[in-house]
Structure formats: structure tokens, C-alpha cells
Amino acid sequence: FRSGRWHRYFVDFYVKKSDGEVFLIEVKPKSQTVPPKVQQKPTRRYINEVVTWGTNQAKWKAAEEYCQDRKWKFIIMTEAELGIKF
């Protein structure tokens, strides 16, 4: 679906249950689902984390709105929900 005027966004999974309930599922590392901690002296890594966070927030907002319009559910899953340990 389109997440803005010119952007397309592809979620990781589209799930339709036998009862007709639909889910769009995005899988992300847990670190990308929380805002980066503010740093006094920004590093390149910190700047990348801020950009990633902002991009993800915009995508997720668009996905939420898209799902609400269709009475679907949008879910973000991390390694914690999937039971994956690193």
C-alpha cells in the first residue's frame, strides 16, 4: 500500500484467518521499536538510529490508518514475541 504521496510500504506478512479477520504483521528488531536515547554528542550510529526510528514511525502510522479503514489489525512483532534469542 502507499504510505504517503510517493512511497510504497510492504509489510512482512498478510494473514487472513478462516473467520475473515485480517492482520498485517511487521517484524522488526526490538531496538527499532523504541526511540533512541538522546545523546549529548551525536554519533553517526545515533543519527542512523534517529532516521530509522522516524522512518518506521511514519510507516507504522500509515499502516495503522490503512488497517483501521479496512477493519484489519496491524501488529509489530520483535524477537521477544517470536521467542528468538540472540
Side-chain angles (χ1 to χ4, degrees):
F1 67 91
R2 295 196 180 277
S3 64
R5 185 172 175 191
W6 304 107
H7 302 282
R8 291 184 298 167
Y9 173 42
F10 299 94
V11 294
D12 294 313
F13 297 98
Y14 167 90
V15 177
K16 185 172 184 179
K17 292 174 45 178
S18 59
D19 65 2
E21 191 174 20
V22 176
F23 299 87
L24 295 184
I25 302 173
E26 179 71 17
V27 179
K28 287 288 184 202
K30 189 164 181 76
S31 63
Q32 290 186 12
T33 64
V34 294
K37 294 180 181 162
V38 178
Q39 295 182 356
Q40 293 294 337
K41 185 176 179 184
T43 62
R44 188 173 297 185
R45 179 179 175 178
Y46 173 73
I47 292 168
N48 286 336
E49 289 174 358
V50 169
V51 169
T52 298
W53 172 251
T55 301
N56 285 341
Q57 288 295 294
K59 289 179 181 180
W60 297 339
K61 180 180 180 210
E64 285 281 353
E65 291 171 0
Y66 185 85
C67 288
Q68 284 178 350
D69 290 345
R70 289 157 181 78
K71 296 187 177 18
W72 295 355
K73 294 183 182 173
F74 178 65
I75 300 171
I76 301 167
M77 298 184 82
T78 69
E79 64 274 11
E81 288 85 12
L82 297 171
I84 300 171
K85 296 182 182 182
F86 294 103

